Amino acid sequence: MIVLKFGGTSVANAQNISKTIDIVYNKSKESKLAVVVSAFSGVTDLLILAGKTASVKDKSYKDIVSQIEKKHKDAIDELIPLSEQSDIIDAINHEINLLKTLLDGCYLLGELSNRTADIVAGFGELLSSQIIAVALKQKVSNSSFKDSREVIKTNSNFGKANVDFDITNTLISDYFKNNDFQVVLFPGFIASSVDGNTTTLGRGGSDYTAAIIAAAVKAEVLEIWTDVNGMFTANPKIVKQAQPIETISYQEAMELSHFGAKVLYPPTIQPVLKDSIPIFIKNTFEPEVYGTLISNHPAATNNPIKGISHIDNIALLTLEGSGMIGVAGSSKRLFEVLSNESINVIFITQASSEHSICIGILNADADKAKTAIDKAFELEIAQNKIDECIVEKDLCIVALVGESMKNHQGISGKMFSTLGKNNVNIRAIAQGASERNISVVINEKDVKKALNTLHERFFEDNTKQLNLFVMGIGNVGEKFIDQISQQKKFLKENLKINLRVIGLSNSRKMVFDEEGINLKDWKASVDQGETANVATFITRVKELNLRNSIFVDITANYDIANIYDKFLKENVAVVTCNKIACSSEYDNYKNLKNLSRKYNAPFLFETNVGAGLPIIDTLKHLIASGDKVNRINAVLSGSLNFIFNNFSETYNFHDVVKEAGVQGFTEPDPKIDLSGVDVARKILILIRESGYKMEMEDIVNNSFLPKECMETTNNDDFFKSLIKHAAHFDNLLAEAKAKNSRLKFVASFENGKASVGLQFIPSDSPFYNLEGKDNIVQFYTDRYVDQPLLIKGAGAGAAVTASGIFADVIRIGNV
């Protein structure tokens, strides 16, 4: 015999019930079946609501009953021919009338006893099973209905009764010996006490009903039919990359189901475990899919972890104090208090010092538990030997489960380091001696990040998902997004990095998509987005709380540079080509670096100097290896180098500057480049990264611009001033030619002093032949004394700047 159980979604409506009946029909050709069905989807919740509503004298319970009645009679109309509806309609009317009578009584008395609540909650299965039994008979004539209350006997613990297996096994066994039906259909969830009162087996108890029957008849297999393709490595609603588990042991399945894997009711396994009856988890809507097989001998895999699960709405209670050290019975007293209050303990951990004991319970029980514990230990609390019970709510337990974890070293270390890198704070830790389960308590707001991060670490071939929030999508930003789109597949296949752009913003509009913005049509998405707002952007990033989040600043905006700390404190990495933050006050620069270390959030700004050139990265390696920078000479402005390389007697200064802007070599405000401010910022950043403390005002700026040009307040006036002072620039060019030199804007640092300014570079200088928009940097260090370390290449342009930003993002992915 095979036992099949169909859950609420499998019998949610007539269409789904038809699928269920097809599965039963096909299975019945091969074997005798016992079929257990749940209530129609959502009906049990409606019944519980109706009971509570009636008990508070709210007449709307009648509307709820009408809704339940309609749902079932609609199913009859769709499933059963009109000519054969009479008997089943009478049966449903009988049950509905009984339900109404019970609820009328609750309304009149103004109370809902546990006994009555069980009867009310059980109507869902009674109604659904009788309808499905009649519908099934249309296809499997040799089928019958059997009320589970007649064969499953329990004690009178209403709400979650305990089964009397001796009586139950005998009744079930005798029933099947005395009938020859090919299919027998049972309502799940309900049973009856020895004295005949309806009881229930707990929410999810239909699984348990099926397991009880399977154990009693020594079934070949127990099949649990639901709406997913088996048990998953994590909750697929939270972890999109979760994978079905093909085979798993009973113990692993119990651990996962206990820790929130809702596809299986935890007590289900116990009845079938003794006789090693395998359990299949199957999908009613994709019956051809293999599903998950639970047995004593799961297939061996290379991964010691079978799944990651979690329980929400947890409160952590801590009892501590010197009065617990060496005092026998403290733990016993604590657990007795909780037991007397019928509070289930989900999580336990105790320090070896015996100074404290920590337990996890449901949030709903926290206040009641604290009151009871404080009362039980009131003498010790009054004597200051034990502190009052500490309660922390809104927590979550996350568990790694795997039978083979005990044979693999370092699992817990990987778990903790993975969570730590994403700034997920662990409040408590528990691991049994069996090493089948490692559990941690974390803040509930971090659960999605934690589950995805752990799943990525243990199940996704070390593929790391990077979630980008990009602000500034102009010339450079567009190139950056194009590069992501182009390289996305390569990165995933070769570097195991999955890049997703979650948020995009310009100065007018912003858009977010938690599943990743479609980069083929990102401009349209932004145009249709909401009004841009920096504060809202920050809030949205925090609320999403995604793992490996990166804020990418591709602006030259002061306000944006001043919000980096908001991201770093939330463990969101910052990648920026905006030089303002790192060239601001030294204390702010250091604070950002410190926040990056404290919250394990990378702060990368390679493109602050040299666009895509590896200047800062090289400098960091020099310093990290113990070298010391003594002197820096550099041409750090690709835009100025482009301008002076193209400035000639036939190509006037104004036109060259205009062309540099068109090609994206200058800042939006070209005066930032031409005034030397941009170069001063760059040399300041290099000086600070070399380990020196310096402020912007300490750098001598020998500007070559006339005063009137410097004092303009907008681009139009600035360009007019360049035309007006054309002779000034022509004289500089003539002087350079007379000296057989070339004009270069050079930044220098030596002996603690720094300066920037236009210089006449002789032909024997390595700076003389610097072409186009190239940059060049010379580092003189303790190791590079006579011949400097030299870095040279394109230092301006949207594409190379975007590639530098892209490289910083990849650096984070490779950490």
Side-chain angles (χ1 to χ4, degrees):
M1 178 176 285
I2 297 175
V3 178
L4 284 70
K5 179 265 175 179
F6 292 90
T9 52
S10 298
V11 295
N13 50 49
Q15 182 181 359
N16 292 4
I17 292 170
S18 295
K19 293 179 184 294
T20 294
I21 290 173
D22 286 342
I23 292 168
V24 173
Y25 170 70
N26 291 327
K27 291 276 183 181
S28 69
K29 296 176 183 177
E30 305 165 3
S31 174
K32 285 190 173 184
L33 306 178
V35 178
V36 177
V37 295
S38 296
F40 290 176
S41 182
V43 168
T44 303
D45 289 334
L46 288 173
L47 288 164
I48 292 171
L49 177 62
K52 291 179 179 177
T53 304
S55 68
V56 296
K57 292 186 174 292
D58 181 345
K59 288 186 178 181
S60 64
Y61 74 89
K62 294 183 178 182
D63 297 330
I64 299 172
V65 174
S66 297
Q67 184 181 343
I68 293 170
E69 182 178 8
K70 183 179 186 303
K71 188 178 184 75
H72 289 86
K73 289 187 174 177
D74 286 348
I76 291 172
D77 287 339
E78 294 184 57
L79 290 167
I80 300 168
L82 184 62
S83 60
E84 300 179 34
Q85 289 183 8
S86 177
D87 289 345
I88 185 61
I89 288 177
D90 287 345
I92 296 305
N93 284 337
H94 173 76
E95 300 292 354
I96 293 292
N97 288 335
L98 181 55
L99 173 62
K100 288 177 180 178
T101 301
L102 284 168
L103 293 174
D104 289 343
C106 293
Y107 178 83
L108 292 171
L109 293 171
E111 68 175 19
L112 179 67
S113 67
N114 290 337
R115 176 178 165 182
T116 305
D118 262 10
I119 300 173
V120 171
F123 274 101
E125 276 71 16
L126 282 173
L127 294 167
S128 67
S129 59
Q130 291 183 72
I131 293 170
I132 296 168
V134 174
L136 175 64
K137 207 164 185 67
Q138 314 299 312
K139 201 155 190 177
V140 183
S141 58
N142 188 23
S143 61
S144 179
F145 169 81
K146 182 66 174 176
D147 190 335
S148 301
R149 294 175 295 184
E150 296 175 12
V151 292
I152 299 179
K153 297 298 178 179
T154 70
N155 63 6
S156 296
N157 182 20
F158 298 105
K160 192 176 182 182
N162 297 313
V163 176
D164 186 326
F165 281 98
D166 290 336
I167 298 174
T168 297
N169 288 343
T170 299
L171 289 171
I172 294 173
S173 180
D174 288 346
Y175 171 76
F176 281 102
K177 283 178 184 175
N178 295 322
N179 80 73
D180 197 34
F181 294 112
Q182 190 68 13
V183 179
V184 180
L185 191 138
F186 296 84
F189 181 51
I190 57 172
S192 67
S193 62
V194 176
D195 55 359
N197 292 309
T198 296
T199 57
T200 61
L201 304 176
R203 291 302 298 266
S206 292
D207 286 0
Y208 196 29
T209 302
I212 292 166
I213 295 170
V217 301
K218 303 292 189 288
E220 298 170 38
V221 64
L222 166 61
E223 295 183 358
I224 307 292
W225 290 80
T226 181
D227 58 355
V228 293
N229 293 330
M231 299 188 83
F232 277 69
T233 49
N235 185 339
K237 293 179 180 177
I238 298 176
V239 181
K240 302 301 181 185
Q241 291 78 26
Q243 310 149 13
I245 304 169
E246 285 202 354
T247 62
I248 189 171
S249 72
Y250 291 114
Q251 291 77 15
E252 290 168 329
M254 279 193 285
E255 293 279 3
L256 283 175
S257 60
H258 173 72
F259 278 92
K262 295 181 173 54
V263 71
L264 187 68
Y265 181 53
T268 303
I269 294 168
Q270 201 58 49
V272 300
L273 179 58
K274 183 178 70 172
D275 296 308
S276 298
I277 297 170
I279 303 172
F280 252 117
I281 311 294
K282 301 280 286 181
N283 189 343
T284 303
F285 310 102
E286 295 184 59
E288 70 284 352
V289 174
Y290 182 81
T292 298
L293 173 62
I294 305 170
S295 69
N296 268 330
H297 304 289
T301 64
N302 293 326
N303 192 344
I305 309 299
K306 273 295 172 73
I308 307 165
S309 200
H310 73 290
I311 306 176
D312 291 323
N313 302 314
I314 294 295
L316 209 58
L317 274 60
T318 303
L319 189 67
E320 63 181 12
S322 58
M324 295 176 65
I325 300 174
V327 178
S330 296
S331 299
K332 175 177 178 291
R333 289 171 63 194
L334 174 62
F335 292 116
E336 276 184 348
V337 168
L338 297 171
S339 177
N340 292 337
E341 296 291 333
S342 299
I343 295 172
N344 184 39
V345 177
I346 302 169
F347 178 99
I348 306 169
T349 184
Q350 182 173 17
S352 58
S353 67
E354 301 181 20
H355 181 262
S356 69
I357 184 167
C358 182
I359 59 171
I361 63 175
L362 292 175
N363 269 338
D365 294 327
D367 294 336
K368 179 170 68 170
K370 174 176 169 54
T371 300
I373 293 169
D374 286 346
K375 184 176 180 180
F377 289 90
E378 61 184 347
L379 179 60
E380 290 89 343
I381 292 171
Q383 294 173 345
N384 293 320
K385 292 182 178 179
I386 293 178
D387 298 333
E388 286 189 8
C389 178
I390 301 169
V391 178
E392 297 172 78
K393 294 183 180 181
D394 300 320
L395 302 174
C396 173
I397 300 175
V398 173
L400 286 187
V401 173
E403 191 76 40
S404 302
M405 290 198 303
K406 56 192 172 188
N407 301 321
H408 288 75
Q409 295 179 340
I411 298 294
S412 57
K414 290 177 183 177
M415 181 184 192
F416 303 148
S417 65
T418 299
L419 294 175
K421 284 179 180 178
N422 274 273
N423 205 37
V424 177
N425 186 36
I426 298 173
R427 297 292 302 111
I429 302 166
Q431 181 175 13
S434 69
E435 298 185 42
R436 189 181 294 127
N437 178 317
I438 306 172
S439 303
V440 297
V441 179
I442 64 173
N443 287 324
E444 203 163 67
K445 69 179 180 64
D446 290 327
V447 66
K448 184 173 184 178
K449 181 195 287 188
L451 291 175
N452 278 278
T453 300
L454 291 171
H455 195 273
E456 187 176 79
R457 178 66 181 84
F458 289 105
F459 289 102
E460 296 176 38
D461 195 23
N462 282 332
T463 297
K464 180 181 283 190
Q465 185 179 100
L466 303 183
N467 297 298
L468 309 186
F469 298 86
V470 182
M471 190 170 281
I473 45 179
N475 198 12
V476 177
E478 183 174 345
K479 295 290 185 184
F480 175 63
I481 295 169
D482 287 346
Q483 289 174 11
I484 292 175
S485 183
Q486 177 185 327
Q487 291 298 106
K488 188 176 175 67
K489 183 178 179 182
F490 173 87
L491 292 174
K492 194 166 186 178
E493 292 178 354
N494 294 276
L495 299 183
K496 303 300 180 185
I497 294 174
N498 180 22
L499 271 185
R500 302 192 314 166
V501 178
I502 307 299
L504 286 172
S505 178
N506 56 26
S507 59
R508 296 174 291 101
K509 294 282 189 176
M510 63 184 185
V511 64
F512 293 86
D513 187 337
E514 189 174 350
E515 301 305 317
I517 295 168
N518 182 357
L519 298 186
K520 292 181 180 178
D521 197 28
W522 65 269
K523 289 183 180 180
S525 297
V526 173
D527 289 341
Q528 295 167 14
E530 60 189 292
T531 301
N533 181 282
V534 174
T536 304
F537 192 97
I538 296 169
T539 300
R540 199 69 55 84
V541 175
K542 289 181 181 179
E543 288 175 347
L544 286 170
N545 196 24
L546 299 175
R547 68 194 187 281
N548 306 321
S549 291
I550 305 173
F551 172 64
V552 183
D553 177 15
I554 315 181
T555 74
N557 188 290
Y558 279 91
D559 293 334
I560 305 305
N562 287 328
I563 63 172
Y564 295 169
D565 61 326
K566 305 286 193 305
F567 293 111
L568 295 173
K569 288 175 182 177
E570 297 294 325
N571 184 237
V572 176
V574 174
V575 170
T576 179
C577 62
N578 187 342
K579 294 174 279 292
I580 292 171
C582 288
S583 61
S584 62
E585 294 79 5
Y586 182 81
D587 288 344
N588 182 56
Y589 160 81
K590 287 300 292 182
N591 180 52
L592 294 175
K593 302 277 280 190
N594 291 335
L595 289 174
S596 171
R597 285 189 289 269
K598 180 178 179 179
Y599 294 99
N600 197 31
F603 175 41
L604 300 182
F605 42 90
E606 183 66 65
T607 49
N608 275 197
V609 182
L613 294 177
I615 296 173
I616 293 176
D617 192 53
T618 303
L619 179 55
K620 285 179 177 178
H621 288 305
L622 283 176
I623 302 303
S625 68
D627 204 353
K628 180 184 178 184
V629 174
N630 301 309
R631 177 182 163 199
I632 304 171
N633 286 328
V635 173
L636 295 174
S637 174
S639 54
L640 283 174
N641 200 45
F642 173 88
I643 289 167
F644 285 113
N645 279 336
N646 288 279
F647 176 34
S648 66
E649 291 90 344
T650 57
Y651 199 3
N652 68 59
F653 194 75
H654 166 274
D655 291 347
V656 176
V657 175
K658 273 280 189 181
E659 180 62 24
V662 169
Q663 295 198 25
F665 298 151
T666 66
E667 298 286 349
D669 177 3
K671 189 167 63 176
I672 294 175
D673 294 285
L674 273 70
S675 67
V677 170
D678 186 59
V679 175
R681 287 172 177 165
K682 292 176 180 178
I683 191 65
L684 177 62
I685 292 167
L686 293 182
I687 292 166
R688 288 175 171 177
E689 289 295 296
S690 299
Y692 296 93
K693 182 177 180 179
M694 184 174 284
E695 300 289 358
M696 189 70 170
E697 53 267 27
D698 297 330
I699 299 174
V700 177
N701 186 347
N702 298 308
S703 177
F704 66 91
L705 287 177
K707 185 179 179 181
E708 184 179 344
C709 297
M710 292 290 292
E711 291 176 348
T712 56
T713 57
N714 57 68
N715 285 357
D716 286 342
D717 288 345
F718 178 70
F719 280 110
K720 288 176 183 177
S721 72
L722 295 185
I723 296 173
K724 181 178 179 180
H725 293 278
H728 167 76
F729 302 114
D730 291 341
N731 289 337
L732 289 174
L733 181 62
E735 186 177 354
K737 286 190 174 295
K739 293 180 177 179
N740 195 28
S741 300
R742 301 182 74 176
L743 293 170
K744 303 291 178 186
F745 199 89
V746 179
S748 301
F749 169 73
E750 189 173 10
N751 297 324
K753 296 182 178 180
S755 65
V756 297
L758 195 63
Q759 294 184 15
F760 297 99
I761 302 299
S763 57
D764 59 352
S765 168
F767 292 3
Y768 183 86
N769 290 313
L770 198 63
E771 299 297 333
K773 57 184 181 296
D774 284 359
N775 280 190
I776 187 170
V777 181
Q778 294 176 323
F779 289 115
Y780 291 86
T781 73
D782 286 351
R783 295 174 189 156
Y784 295 89
V785 181
D786 298 322
Q787 293 295 324
L789 173 64
L790 189 147
I791 302 169
K792 177 182 176 182
V800 293
T801 303
S803 69
I805 297 167
F806 195 94
D808 272 348
V809 170
I810 301 308
R811 284 188 182 93
I812 294 173
N814 287 328
V815 172

